[in-house]
Amino acid sequence: MKPLMLITNDDGVAAKGLKELREVAREFGDVVVMAPESNASGQSHSLTTTRPLRVHEVRKEEGLEVYSCDGTPVDCVKLAVEYFCPRRPNLVLSGINHGSNSSINVLYSGTMAAAIEATTLDISAIGFSLLNHNPEADFSAGLPYVRHIIGYALEHGLPTDVALNVNIPRLEAKDIKGLRICHEAKAQWLESFEKRVDPRGIPYWWLTGKFVCDTPEEGSDEWALANGYVSVVPIHPDLTRHQVIDCLKPMTSESL
Amino acid sequence: MKPLMLITNDDGVAAKGLKELREVAREFGDVVVMAPESNASGQSHSLTTTRPLRVHEVRKEEGLEVYSCDGTPVDCVKLAVEYFCPRRPNLVLSGINHGSNSSINVLYSGTMAAAIEATTLDISAIGFSLLNHNPEADFSAGLPYVRHIIGYALEHGLPTDVALNVNIPRLEAKDIKGLRICHEAKAQWLESFEKRVDPRGIPYWWLTGKFVCDTPEEGSDEWALANGYVSVVPIHPDLTRHQVIDCLKPMTSESL
């Protein structure tokens, strides 16, 4: 039986990056797409709990089914795995996101939350992002790497508790030097709100902010991207900071 | 100068758990509360990017300022640290959540996302949750542990890249055996949607699901809670799965 890939994203079912990813995936097997109806960027790992979800069939042909859903990227993965995939997917793919999800951006990203959700269901997953927010971005330079990574994952398998966070630099094909396996760079978003005053004199605050990663460590995703490589960071859903468990033991108490 | 604690939650500014946490915190220093206007559960690490935020002052007295905001828990932390805290907070506290945030629930939790966001700003943080969803839940049995943990954090400090995920079992005071430092238990949410049909014959899907953690490993938070302990898991915002970086090296490519 052909491999089955479930594809989602957070830019919405009509996004160009989703279509590019879908066409590469179809070279390897059958594809089910379940993506948000409209842009769901920045929704992170949100779930829809206070209303039910609706689904629309967008397209159905040999080897490809496309659905849209009025939920979040994580809702899309859960719902598609349970109700819309004809069999258990071999891989969940998310993206290609219009814009970076490197470093700590993975925390805010709906694209990467969808991939992480798959790992909680014991399905391997890969999230792809291009460092270009333009809705008409040109994805062509990165597609050979997308193809290489999907092919590798299907042939060799990935650990089921791991999702790959793949970021593609905004470069021409000839300037991309290759692909590197990395860790997340430490970075921050600073100066995060702009205060304004409305016509009635009442203040409001717009989220803005500056991504700061001054000297990215060699081996980190920001270093790889700054040096012309596609970055691949293996991430997992367990946030435990194991190294400090012992340091905190003095906090342990008996009954208070 | 007295310690300053910033408090938020995801159940909303009027939640009982928030008031309980605020009163314990006030024993240690000054408190600024910035919490969502209404329930923001399950919003995870969402940000509000497509509209500006509004803030209302709820209460202001010596040592206590309370604000509500129409954003997410993560918005509340970012905005309060930048605009509403009179000085940099020594600690960000989140909760007390009405309901568990143990194990993988930390991924979906707005309460814990607020705590994690603080660590990206280099501020130590603690999220508290009681295993009881009831809006009128009785928090009293857990309060001595909340007090113990805040006191410990202020006296000894916590690593700034670490948030503590504290879960309190639903037990009477005499039955809580103490506090344990743990790692996240591996668990899953299964059977996650219920399909229904509306009066016009069109299907819709309600999120439901069953939390499954069959035999929690000793040392995990689920084990601690099942055995009558308050669980404390140190978590951090870097999701890198360092152990598999080397295994993935064969995927590395030069220019394709």
Side-chain angles (χ1 to χ4, degrees), chain A residues 46 53 108 117 205 234 241, chain B residues 46 53 108 117 188 205 234 241:
Chain A
S46 294
L53 301 177
Y108 310 101
E117 180 64 23
W205 288 264
R241 180 69 160 163
Chain B
S46 294
L53 300 176
Y108 310 100
E117 181 64 23
Q188 286 191 307
W205 289 264
R241 180 71 159 161

Side-chain angles (χ1 to χ4, degrees), chain B residues 182-241:
Chain B
C182 309
H183 64 264
E184 263 184 51
K186 186 162 167 57
Q188 286 191 307
W189 280 94
L190 294 178
E191 298 161 23
S192 56
F193 286 91
E194 195 176 308
K195 186 177 178 180
R196 298 185 182 183
V197 175
D198 76 13
R200 294 180 301 146
I202 300 172
Y204 60 97
W205 289 264
W206 271 111
L207 185 66
T208 161
K210 195 170 75 172
F211 182 72
V212 179
C213 181
D214 285 334
T215 45
E217 202 183 351
E218 186 163 345
S220 72
D221 52 1
E222 290 298 328
W223 181 90
L225 292 162
N227 285 277
Y229 292 98
V230 172
S231 65
V232 177
V233 178
I235 64 174
H236 65 149
D238 181 349
L239 282 76
T240 308
R241 180 71 159 161

Side-chain angles (χ1 to χ4, degrees), chain A residues 48 51-55 69-72 75 79, chain B residues 193 203-206:
Chain A
T48 304
R51 60 170 176 82
L53 301 177
R54 298 283 191 169
V55 174
C69 162
D70 60 353
T72 68
D75 291 332
L79 185 57
Chain B
F193 286 91
Y204 60 97
W205 289 264
W206 271 111

Side-chain angles (χ1 to χ4, degrees), chain A residues 41-55 74-75 78-79 82-84 104 106-108 116-117 119-122 144-145 148-149 152 158-159 161-162 164 173 176-184 186-189 191-195 198 200 202-207 229 232-242 244-245 247-256, chain B residues 41-55 74-75 78-79 82-84 104 106-108 116-117 120-122 144-145 148-149 152 158-159 161-162 164 173-174 176-184 186-189 191-195 198 200 202-207 229 232-242 244-245 247-256:
Chain A
S41 296
Q43 291 199 350
S44 185
H45 222 96
S46 294
L47 291 172
T48 304
T49 55
T50 54
R51 60 170 176 82
L53 301 177
R54 298 283 191 169
V55 174
V74 168
D75 291 332
K78 290 174 100 74
L79 185 57
E82 190 175 341
Y83 277 100
F84 290 86
I104 60 164
V106 72
L107 290 176
Y108 310 101
I116 294 169
E117 180 64 23
T119 70
T120 74
L121 305 172
D122 292 329
Y145 297 90
H148 172 73
I149 295 165
Y152 182 96
L158 297 173
D161 64 342
V162 165
L164 302 183
I176 300 184
K177 289 189 199 152
L179 177 163
R180 287 290 175 269
I181 316 297
C182 309
H183 63 264
E184 265 183 51
K186 186 163 167 58
Q188 285 190 309
W189 280 95
E191 299 160 21
S192 58
F193 286 91
E194 193 175 310
K195 185 178 179 180
D198 76 12
R200 293 179 301 146
I202 300 173
Y204 60 97
W205 288 264
W206 271 111
L207 185 65
Y229 292 98
V232 177
V233 178
I235 64 174
H236 66 148
D238 179 350
L239 282 74
T240 308
R241 180 69 160 163
H242 290 275
V244 305
I245 288 179
C247 323
L248 292 172
K249 286 278 161 73
M251 187 196 289
T252 304
S253 79
E254 297 313 309
S255 200
L256 293 177
Chain B
S41 295
Q43 291 199 351
S44 184
H45 222 97
S46 294
L47 292 170
T48 303
T49 55
T50 54
R51 58 170 177 82
L53 300 176
R54 298 284 192 170
V55 173
V74 169
D75 291 332
K78 289 175 99 74
L79 185 56
E82 190 174 342
Y83 277 99
F84 290 85
I104 59 164
V106 71
L107 290 176
Y108 310 100
I116 293 169
E117 181 64 23
T120 75
L121 305 172
D122 292 329
Y145 298 91
H148 172 73
I149 294 165
Y152 181 96
L158 297 174
D161 64 343
V162 165
L164 303 183
K174 66 177 177 48
I176 300 184
K177 288 188 196 153
L179 177 163
R180 287 291 174 270
I181 315 298
C182 309
H183 64 264
E184 263 184 51
K186 186 162 167 57
Q188 286 191 307
W189 280 94
E191 298 161 23
S192 56
F193 286 91
E194 195 176 308
K195 186 177 178 180
D198 76 13
R200 294 180 301 146
I202 300 172
Y204 60 97
W205 289 264
W206 271 111
L207 185 66
Y229 292 98
V232 177
V233 178
I235 64 174
H236 65 149
D238 181 349
L239 282 76
T240 308
R241 180 71 159 161
H242 290 276
V244 306
I245 287 180
C247 323
L248 291 172
K249 286 278 161 76
M251 187 196 289
T252 305
S253 80
E254 296 312 310
S255 199
L256 293 177

Side-chain angles (χ1 to χ4, degrees), chain B residues 5-9 17-19 21-26 30-35 64-65 67 76-77 80 85 91-96 150:
Chain B
M5 285 154 283
L6 168 63
I7 300 185
T8 190
N9 74 348
L18 179 75
K19 289 175 191 158
L21 178 56
R22 182 186 83 198
E23 290 311 306
V24 175
R26 291 186 76 182
D30 296 335
V31 169
V32 172
V33 174
M34 169 75 78
L64 176 69
E65 298 177 24
Y67 303 94
C76 287
V77 170
C85 290
L91 266 182
V92 169
L93 306 174
S94 187
I96 302 173
I150 295 174

Side-chain angles (χ1 to χ4, degrees), chain B residues 58-77:
Chain B
V58 176
R59 189 169 156 184
K60 195 166 189 170
E61 61 190 64
E62 180 65 30
L64 176 69
E65 298 177 24
V66 180
Y67 303 94
S68 70
C69 162
D70 60 354
T72 67
V74 169
D75 291 332
C76 287
V77 170

Side-chain angles (χ1 to χ4, degrees), chain A residues 33-233:
Chain A
V33 174
M34 170 75 78
E37 277 175 6
S38 53
N39 193 311
S41 296
Q43 291 199 350
S44 185
H45 222 96
S46 294
L47 291 172
T48 304
T49 55
T50 54
R51 60 170 176 82
L53 301 177
R54 298 283 191 169
V55 174
H56 291 277
E57 183 183 304
V58 176
R59 189 169 157 185
K60 195 167 190 170
E61 61 190 65
E62 179 64 31
L64 177 67
E65 297 177 24
V66 180
Y67 303 94
S68 69
C69 162
D70 60 353
T72 68
V74 168
D75 291 332
C76 287
V77 170
K78 290 174 100 74
L79 185 57
V81 168
E82 190 175 341
Y83 277 100
F84 290 86
C85 290
R87 54 191 186 276
R88 198 166 167 78
N90 300 73
L91 268 180
V92 169
L93 305 174
S94 188
I96 302 171
N97 193 60
H98 294 243
S100 172
N101 280 317
S102 62
S103 180
I104 60 164
N105 295 305
V106 72
L107 290 176
Y108 310 101
S109 164
T111 301
M112 289 313 303
I116 294 169
E117 180 64 23
T119 70
T120 74
L121 305 172
D122 292 329
I123 302 171
S124 301
I126 312 171
F128 295 96
S129 306
L130 175 69
L131 274 61
N132 184 347
H133 278 97
N134 192 324
E136 297 306 323
D138 179 358
F139 289 87
S140 58
L143 297 183
Y145 297 90
V146 173
R147 189 174 290 115
H148 172 73
I149 295 165
I150 295 174
Y152 182 96
L154 289 173
E155 187 180 348
H156 301 282
L158 297 173
T160 53
D161 64 342
V162 165
L164 302 183
N165 182 17
V166 178
N167 282 270
I168 301 164
R170 186 177 178 168
L171 293 172
E172 290 180 38
K174 67 179 176 49
D175 296 324
I176 300 184
K177 289 189 199 152
L179 177 163
R180 287 290 175 269
I181 316 297
C182 309
H183 63 264
E184 265 183 51
K186 186 163 167 58
Q188 285 190 309
W189 280 95
L190 294 178
E191 299 160 21
S192 58
F193 286 91
E194 193 175 310
K195 185 178 179 180
R196 298 184 181 184
V197 176
D198 76 12
R200 293 179 301 146
I202 300 173
Y204 60 97
W205 288 264
W206 271 111
L207 185 65
T208 162
K210 195 170 74 172
F211 182 72
V212 178
C213 180
D214 285 334
T215 45
E217 203 184 348
E218 187 162 345
S220 72
D221 52 0
E222 290 298 327
W223 181 90
L225 292 162
N227 285 277
Y229 292 98
V230 172
S231 65
V232 177
V233 178

